[in-house]
Amino acid sequence: MNRWLGTLSSWVAEGGPLLTTFHSQVRSGARIPQDNKWDEQRTSAENTINPGYFDNLSFSALCLNGRGMPHYGDYSVTLKTSLISSRSSVFEENPFLFNRRHAVYSGDKCPPGYRASWANRSKLAASKLASKINGATTNGDFPAILLQEDTTNAGEDDFVEESWPRLFGQRPAGFKWIPAGLC
């Protein structure tokens, strides 16, 4: 999970909201949505993929090297597996990009096969990325295959997205695991 220095400083010094969601920050006035396609369409995209509880989820990019996705913040925080494994799920990619690529529109149901529990994250990643792996692929190649940064800064990063409810110890109403349906 990537964060900016100011957010981390507040969290360390004051016990501030490291895991506060985008939507709760906007509601509280702590954050102003930017004038860009991402913030303008975020509610619609996330609600289509996670209907009824999208605004209670925190997100990060699944990574193998601890670096995360730098354009979400210069500093990467690795969450303890023991704290998130029973609460987290993974989704094939950023919901905004997924909806566009798969022609899923607001009000449509998300098609099955693109979400998995934390325990099945490797199956989802393998299903998504199998075409990018061959006999010449080395262990050192896997981090860049799993998390591909868009160096043009257009926000078209390709990664497996992890999400978890913002309230530790309880899930928001309507939260449920949806089987990945992987072959």
Side-chain angles (χ1 to χ4, degrees), residues 47-64:
N47 189 45
T48 299
I49 300 303
N50 302 296
Y53 55 91
F54 71 96
D55 56 341
N56 286 307
L57 295 176
S58 291
F59 299 95
S60 66
L62 198 60
C63 70
L64 295 173

PDB file of all heavy atoms in Angstrom, residues 47-64:
ATOM      1  N   ASN A  47     -18.387   1.201  -7.263  1.00  0.00           N
ATOM      2  CA  ASN A  47     -19.696   0.688  -6.884  1.00  0.00           C
ATOM      3  C   ASN A  47     -20.148  -0.434  -7.830  1.00  0.00           C
ATOM      4  O   ASN A  47     -20.841  -1.361  -7.415  1.00  0.00           O
ATOM      5  CB  ASN A  47     -20.734   1.804  -6.855  1.00  0.00           C
ATOM      6  CG  ASN A  47     -22.044   1.343  -6.264  1.00  0.00           C
ATOM      7  OD1 ASN A  47     -22.070   0.678  -5.232  1.00  0.00           O
ATOM      8  ND2 ASN A  47     -23.136   1.673  -6.922  1.00  0.00           N
ATOM      9  N   THR A  48     -19.763  -0.367  -9.081  1.00  0.00           N
ATOM     10  CA  THR A  48     -20.118  -1.418 -10.034  1.00  0.00           C
ATOM     11  C   THR A  48     -19.440  -2.730  -9.655  1.00  0.00           C
ATOM     12  O   THR A  48     -20.055  -3.795  -9.727  1.00  0.00           O
ATOM     13  CB  THR A  48     -19.727  -0.998 -11.471  1.00  0.00           C
ATOM     14  OG1 THR A  48     -20.463   0.188 -11.794  1.00  0.00           O
ATOM     15  CG2 THR A  48     -20.046  -2.074 -12.477  1.00  0.00           C
ATOM     16  N   ILE A  49     -18.208  -2.676  -9.217  1.00  0.00           N
ATOM     17  CA  ILE A  49     -17.455  -3.879  -8.855  1.00  0.00           C
ATOM     18  C   ILE A  49     -17.764  -4.341  -7.432  1.00  0.00           C
ATOM     19  O   ILE A  49     -17.799  -5.527  -7.143  1.00  0.00           O
ATOM     20  CB  ILE A  49     -15.930  -3.634  -9.020  1.00  0.00           C
ATOM     21  CG1 ILE A  49     -15.608  -3.271 -10.460  1.00  0.00           C
ATOM     22  CG2 ILE A  49     -15.121  -4.834  -8.559  1.00  0.00           C
ATOM     23  CD1 ILE A  49     -16.036  -4.281 -11.497  1.00  0.00           C
ATOM     24  N   ASN A  50     -17.986  -3.417  -6.528  1.00  0.00           N
ATOM     25  CA  ASN A  50     -18.230  -3.721  -5.105  1.00  0.00           C
ATOM     26  C   ASN A  50     -19.513  -3.033  -4.646  1.00  0.00           C
ATOM     27  O   ASN A  50     -19.475  -2.136  -3.800  1.00  0.00           O
ATOM     28  CB  ASN A  50     -17.043  -3.235  -4.259  1.00  0.00           C
ATOM     29  CG  ASN A  50     -15.738  -3.845  -4.678  1.00  0.00           C
ATOM     30  OD1 ASN A  50     -15.543  -5.040  -4.581  1.00  0.00           O
ATOM     31  ND2 ASN A  50     -14.834  -3.019  -5.178  1.00  0.00           N
ATOM     32  N   PRO A  51     -20.664  -3.433  -5.191  1.00  0.00           N
ATOM     33  CA  PRO A  51     -21.907  -2.708  -4.897  1.00  0.00           C
ATOM     34  C   PRO A  51     -22.300  -2.752  -3.417  1.00  0.00           C
ATOM     35  O   PRO A  51     -22.235  -3.787  -2.777  1.00  0.00           O
ATOM     36  CB  PRO A  51     -22.950  -3.423  -5.762  1.00  0.00           C
ATOM     37  CG  PRO A  51     -22.375  -4.761  -6.046  1.00  0.00           C
ATOM     38  CD  PRO A  51     -20.881  -4.598  -6.042  1.00  0.00           C
ATOM     39  N   GLY A  52     -22.644  -1.576  -2.924  1.00  0.00           N
ATOM     40  CA  GLY A  52     -23.150  -1.479  -1.555  1.00  0.00           C
ATOM     41  C   GLY A  52     -22.099  -1.289  -0.489  1.00  0.00           C
ATOM     42  O   GLY A  52     -22.418  -0.881   0.615  1.00  0.00           O
ATOM     43  N   TYR A  53     -20.847  -1.592  -0.772  1.00  0.00           N
ATOM     44  CA  TYR A  53     -19.815  -1.442   0.256  1.00  0.00           C
ATOM     45  C   TYR A  53     -18.517  -0.846  -0.282  1.00  0.00           C
ATOM     46  O   TYR A  53     -17.514  -0.775   0.417  1.00  0.00           O
ATOM     47  CB  TYR A  53     -19.520  -2.778   0.950  1.00  0.00           C
ATOM     48  CG  TYR A  53     -19.137  -3.909   0.024  1.00  0.00           C
ATOM     49  CD1 TYR A  53     -17.819  -4.147  -0.305  1.00  0.00           C
ATOM     50  CD2 TYR A  53     -20.108  -4.738  -0.521  1.00  0.00           C
ATOM     51  CE1 TYR A  53     -17.460  -5.179  -1.154  1.00  0.00           C
ATOM     52  CE2 TYR A  53     -19.760  -5.778  -1.372  1.00  0.00           C
ATOM     53  CZ  TYR A  53     -18.438  -5.991  -1.680  1.00  0.00           C
ATOM     54  OH  TYR A  53     -18.093  -7.015  -2.525  1.00  0.00           O
ATOM     55  N   PHE A  54     -18.527  -0.378  -1.520  1.00  0.00           N
ATOM     56  CA  PHE A  54     -17.317   0.162  -2.151  1.00  0.00           C
ATOM     57  C   PHE A  54     -16.671   1.269  -1.331  1.00  0.00           C
ATOM     58  O   PHE A  54     -15.445   1.392  -1.295  1.00  0.00           O
ATOM     59  CB  PHE A  54     -17.633   0.693  -3.557  1.00  0.00           C
ATOM     60  CG  PHE A  54     -18.459   1.952  -3.544  1.00  0.00           C
ATOM     61  CD1 PHE A  54     -17.853   3.184  -3.630  1.00  0.00           C
ATOM     62  CD2 PHE A  54     -19.844   1.887  -3.412  1.00  0.00           C
ATOM     63  CE1 PHE A  54     -18.612   4.348  -3.603  1.00  0.00           C
ATOM     64  CE2 PHE A  54     -20.602   3.038  -3.382  1.00  0.00           C
ATOM     65  CZ  PHE A  54     -19.988   4.272  -3.479  1.00  0.00           C
ATOM     66  N   ASP A  55     -17.482   2.083  -0.666  1.00  0.00           N
ATOM     67  CA  ASP A  55     -16.930   3.228   0.052  1.00  0.00           C
ATOM     68  C   ASP A  55     -16.315   2.846   1.397  1.00  0.00           C
ATOM     69  O   ASP A  55     -15.741   3.688   2.078  1.00  0.00           O
ATOM     70  CB  ASP A  55     -17.980   4.320   0.229  1.00  0.00           C
ATOM     71  CG  ASP A  55     -19.238   3.842   0.917  1.00  0.00           C
ATOM     72  OD1 ASP A  55     -19.491   2.620   0.964  1.00  0.00           O
ATOM     73  OD2 ASP A  55     -19.988   4.697   1.418  1.00  0.00           O
ATOM     74  N   ASN A  56     -16.413   1.577   1.775  1.00  0.00           N
ATOM     75  CA  ASN A  56     -15.803   1.088   3.011  1.00  0.00           C
ATOM     76  C   ASN A  56     -14.530   0.289   2.753  1.00  0.00           C
ATOM     77  O   ASN A  56     -14.009  -0.341   3.666  1.00  0.00           O
ATOM     78  CB  ASN A  56     -16.790   0.210   3.782  1.00  0.00           C
ATOM     79  CG  ASN A  56     -17.872   1.028   4.436  1.00  0.00           C
ATOM     80  OD1 ASN A  56     -17.575   1.968   5.169  1.00  0.00           O
ATOM     81  ND2 ASN A  56     -19.111   0.696   4.165  1.00  0.00           N
ATOM     82  N   LEU A  57     -14.052   0.293   1.520  1.00  0.00           N
ATOM     83  CA  LEU A  57     -12.884  -0.509   1.181  1.00  0.00           C
ATOM     84  C   LEU A  57     -11.639   0.345   1.009  1.00  0.00           C
ATOM     85  O   LEU A  57     -11.692   1.443   0.460  1.00  0.00           O
ATOM     86  CB  LEU A  57     -13.128  -1.279  -0.126  1.00  0.00           C
ATOM     87  CG  LEU A  57     -14.216  -2.336  -0.099  1.00  0.00           C
ATOM     88  CD1 LEU A  57     -14.415  -2.931  -1.485  1.00  0.00           C
ATOM     89  CD2 LEU A  57     -13.911  -3.427   0.912  1.00  0.00           C
ATOM     90  N   SER A  58     -10.532  -0.192   1.472  1.00  0.00           N
ATOM     91  CA  SER A  58      -9.219   0.374   1.190  1.00  0.00           C
ATOM     92  C   SER A  58      -8.582  -0.496   0.121  1.00  0.00           C
ATOM     93  O   SER A  58      -8.879  -1.691   0.027  1.00  0.00           O
ATOM     94  CB  SER A  58      -8.347   0.366   2.450  1.00  0.00           C
ATOM     95  OG  SER A  58      -8.842   1.281   3.394  1.00  0.00           O
ATOM     96  N   PHE A  59      -7.696   0.087  -0.678  1.00  0.00           N
ATOM     97  CA  PHE A  59      -7.123  -0.619  -1.813  1.00  0.00           C
ATOM     98  C   PHE A  59      -5.607  -0.500  -1.821  1.00  0.00           C
ATOM     99  O   PHE A  59      -5.044   0.477  -1.351  1.00  0.00           O
ATOM    100  CB  PHE A  59      -7.656  -0.029  -3.127  1.00  0.00           C
ATOM    101  CG  PHE A  59      -9.139  -0.135  -3.271  1.00  0.00           C
ATOM    102  CD1 PHE A  59      -9.957   0.924  -2.908  1.00  0.00           C
ATOM    103  CD2 PHE A  59      -9.718  -1.285  -3.766  1.00  0.00           C
ATOM    104  CE1 PHE A  59     -11.332   0.835  -3.037  1.00  0.00           C
ATOM    105  CE2 PHE A  59     -11.092  -1.389  -3.899  1.00  0.00           C
ATOM    106  CZ  PHE A  59     -11.898  -0.329  -3.541  1.00  0.00           C
ATOM    107  N   SER A  60      -4.988  -1.508  -2.404  1.00  0.00           N
ATOM    108  CA  SER A  60      -3.550  -1.467  -2.668  1.00  0.00           C
ATOM    109  C   SER A  60      -3.259  -2.387  -3.845  1.00  0.00           C
ATOM    110  O   SER A  60      -4.124  -3.132  -4.290  1.00  0.00           O
ATOM    111  CB  SER A  60      -2.751  -1.891  -1.425  1.00  0.00           C
ATOM    112  OG  SER A  60      -2.989  -3.247  -1.123  1.00  0.00           O
ATOM    113  N   ALA A  61      -2.043  -2.322  -4.325  1.00  0.00           N
ATOM    114  CA  ALA A  61      -1.614  -3.173  -5.431  1.00  0.00           C
ATOM    115  C   ALA A  61      -0.825  -4.349  -4.874  1.00  0.00           C
ATOM    116  O   ALA A  61       0.054  -4.173  -4.030  1.00  0.00           O
ATOM    117  CB  ALA A  61      -0.749  -2.378  -6.408  1.00  0.00           C
ATOM    118  N   LEU A  62      -1.145  -5.536  -5.336  1.00  0.00           N
ATOM    119  CA  LEU A  62      -0.403  -6.725  -4.950  1.00  0.00           C
ATOM    120  C   LEU A  62       0.976  -6.637  -5.594  1.00  0.00           C
ATOM    121  O   LEU A  62       1.098  -6.346  -6.786  1.00  0.00           O
ATOM    122  CB  LEU A  62      -1.159  -7.957  -5.459  1.00  0.00           C
ATOM    123  CG  LEU A  62      -0.832  -9.305  -4.859  1.00  0.00           C
ATOM    124  CD1 LEU A  62      -1.085  -9.313  -3.360  1.00  0.00           C
ATOM    125  CD2 LEU A  62      -1.674 -10.379  -5.529  1.00  0.00           C
ATOM    126  N   CYS A  63       2.023  -6.840  -4.806  1.00  0.00           N
ATOM    127  CA  CYS A  63       3.369  -6.767  -5.370  1.00  0.00           C
ATOM    128  C   CYS A  63       4.262  -7.812  -4.717  1.00  0.00           C
ATOM    129  O   CYS A  63       3.940  -8.336  -3.652  1.00  0.00           O
ATOM    130  CB  CYS A  63       3.958  -5.365  -5.221  1.00  0.00           C
ATOM    131  SG  CYS A  63       4.383  -4.898  -3.550  1.00  0.00           S
ATOM    132  N   LEU A  64       5.367  -8.098  -5.368  1.00  0.00           N
ATOM    133  CA  LEU A  64       6.308  -9.107  -4.878  1.00  0.00           C
ATOM    134  C   LEU A  64       7.603  -8.504  -4.352  1.00  0.00           C
ATOM    135  O   LEU A  64       8.396  -9.197  -3.721  1.00  0.00           O
ATOM    136  CB  LEU A  64       6.650 -10.088  -6.011  1.00  0.00           C
ATOM    137  CG  LEU A  64       5.489 -10.934  -6.521  1.00  0.00           C
ATOM    138  CD1 LEU A  64       5.907 -11.727  -7.750  1.00  0.00           C
ATOM    139  CD2 LEU A  64       4.982 -11.861  -5.433  1.00  0.00           C
TER     140      LEU A  64
END
